[in-house]
Amino acid sequence: MDDVRERYAARGLGGRLQPGARPAVVVIDLIRGFTDPACSPGSDLSAVVAATRQVLDVARAADVPVVFTSITFAAAELDTTLWLVKMPAMRALLAGSKWVEVDDRLARRQDEAVITKQAASGFNGTDLAGRLAAAGADSLVLCGATTSGCIRATAIDACALGIPTFVPRECVGDRAAGPHEANLLDIDAKYADVIDLADALALLRAPVADTPEDGR
């Protein structure tokens, strides 16, 4: 992949973004149906969940807004949603089932919203953009699954909305290594910055660290 990155950089791809003063964390679809291999669309994302929990712990300590998403279908939507023609495995993600619940290991708080969606992007057909604007968020740390699907789609839409987005590589995952790595490369080249977990944690701590004492 290094030769591709070098070729992209030489042709003007892969510019770097600047985080804002008020980041938010968006956790895409780390629900039980995606993190438990017992569910048809699921895979073992234990490492992704653990890394994302680190992000959440720092975000909560720094009073950074946190939003989750869940793919959830009503029974009436199972035979009317085109996406389910391509991915019938997701018919398991029925409203009210355990599979649409946020993974318990992330310890979601009651004040952290869960936005339900029926498309890949966290922005498509949801109020995510409005929630972020209301919270004063000016940049995103984006975690979740899958890298080649919902993470990529959300990063593309965030870029279109003018929201600088940062994707910690340890905090996103996919069902196979090939699509995961290829999409990390493409996201970093075109839509968001793919960064290390340590850099994401520093980014989230920065707004607190940079606040002058006594309001000065």
Side-chain angles (χ1 to χ4, degrees):
M1 292 282 188
D2 287 343
D3 60 330
V4 177
R5 291 187 182 92
E6 291 174 5
R7 187 162 68 250
Y8 277 13
R11 298 298 296 270
L13 283 74
R16 307 323 286 167
L17 302 174
Q18 291 297 318
R22 178 66 167 162
V25 174
V26 175
V27 181
I28 298 291
D29 303 341
L30 286 184
I31 54 176
R32 295 175 68 179
F34 274 21
T35 63
D36 186 342
C39 190
S40 49
S43 57
D44 183 4
L45 296 178
S46 296
V48 172
V49 171
T52 299
R53 177 61 186 269
Q54 292 185 58
V55 166
L56 292 172
D57 287 346
V58 169
R60 289 160 179 160
D63 198 27
V64 168
V66 173
V67 180
F68 293 86
T69 71
S70 171
I71 299 175
T72 304
F73 298 101
E77 295 172 313
L78 295 181
D79 297 319
T80 60
T81 302
L82 183 62
W83 199 14
L84 295 178
V85 177
K86 289 299 297 181
M87 291 193 66
M90 293 199 303
R91 293 173 67 91
L93 304 180
L94 273 173
S97 75
K98 67 179 182 179
W99 300 123
V100 301
E101 297 171 359
V102 173
D103 192 302
D104 291 340
R105 292 171 289 180
L106 299 176
R108 183 183 75 86
R109 297 181 176 182
Q110 288 299 311
D111 62 347
E112 295 169 348
V114 180
I115 296 173
T116 60
K117 62 188 182 75
Q118 293 81 42
S121 171
F123 292 100
N124 190 303
T126 76
D127 64 351
L128 177 57
R131 285 180 181 271
L132 295 173
D138 55 12
S139 51
L140 297 182
V141 173
L142 184 61
C143 307
T146 61
T147 315
S148 61
C150 298
I151 292 297
R152 177 188 172 90
T154 303
I156 290 171
D157 281 354
C159 184
L161 290 167
I163 306 172
T165 297
F166 300 85
V167 180
R169 66 180 73 250
E170 296 93 336
C171 297
V172 293
D174 214 311
R175 299 177 185 91
H180 171 72
E181 293 297 339
N183 279 275
L184 281 181
L185 174 67
D186 204 55
I187 288 167
D188 191 60
K190 301 174 184 175
Y191 307 112
D193 281 9
V194 176
I195 61 176
D196 292 331
L197 174 60
D199 293 328
L201 300 180
L203 184 158
L204 293 170
R205 293 186 181 109
V208 174
D210 292 344
T211 300
E213 294 182 5
D214 301 324
R216 295 192 297 272

